[in-house]
Amino acid sequence: MPDTLTDPVLWSPRNPDMAQSWAKPGALTAMLRGASGRCPSCGKGRLFRGWLRQVDSCDHCAAPLGAVRADDAPPYFVIFIVGHLVIGTQIALDGVMGLSLLAEAAIFLPLTLAASMALLRPAKGATIGLMLQLGLVPARDA
Ligand SMILES: [Zn+2]
């Protein structure tokens, strides 16, 4: 059992044990299936067993969904998207309406929180879908 804190994670897209054992749809299809919370491989099984915790494997096609480690990529994408939307809206509204700081805080802090929470799960699903499609699954016994 490798210690993932000290041993490097070995990505093995050509691992014969894992690479061809599940279907690989196109990247866009896999990302859309993942974003909708379905298995990126077959589109029928569930991807999540909680809000953000992914299942170990698809109950329909046995794709190793739990082995795909999206890590910090989904929050990065969410911060990037929400930051641009909220800051752009805030600047536009500030130029037109001239809101006070308190009014801006009352509008944009909850908006930022709600948008971030709403986008995090689809972003994680899409990231997992893309990673699975690209074969970015660590080898089991590396
Ligand atoms: Zn599946």
Side-chain angles (χ1 to χ4, degrees):
M1 184 77 176
D3 181 4
T4 56
L5 295 177
T6 58
D7 297 337
V9 174
L10 301 177
W11 299 105
S12 182
R14 291 182 182 84
N15 182 353
D17 185 36
M18 310 251 320
Q20 300 300 322
S21 60
W22 63 89
K24 288 186 178 179
L28 183 61
T29 300
M31 291 176 70
L32 290 174
R33 286 175 178 171
S36 66
R38 312 305 297 174
C39 169
S41 181
C42 68
K44 295 178 181 169
R46 292 180 303 123
L47 176 56
F48 298 106
R49 63 179 156 163
W51 185 55
L52 288 175
R53 183 178 300 266
Q54 60 215 69
V55 297
D56 292 332
S57 62
C58 175
D59 55 2
H60 189 265
C61 70
L65 303 174
V68 180
R69 304 279 306 267
D71 291 337
D72 294 338
Y76 171 79
F77 295 135
V78 169
I79 290 168
F80 183 81
I81 293 167
V82 172
H84 281 82
L85 291 175
V86 169
I87 290 173
T89 305
Q90 184 180 12
I91 290 172
L93 274 182
D94 194 41
V96 173
M97 299 175 70
L99 297 172
S100 69
L101 281 178
L102 189 60
E104 287 186 4
I107 293 170
F108 291 108
L109 289 178
L111 178 67
T112 302
L113 181 63
S116 299
M117 299 299 273
L119 283 178
L120 193 52
R121 184 175 168 150
K124 183 170 183 176
T127 303
I128 291 171
L130 181 61
M131 290 178 70
L132 191 69
Q133 200 277 338
L134 293 174
L136 297 177
V137 179
R140 290 180 187 154
D141 300 317

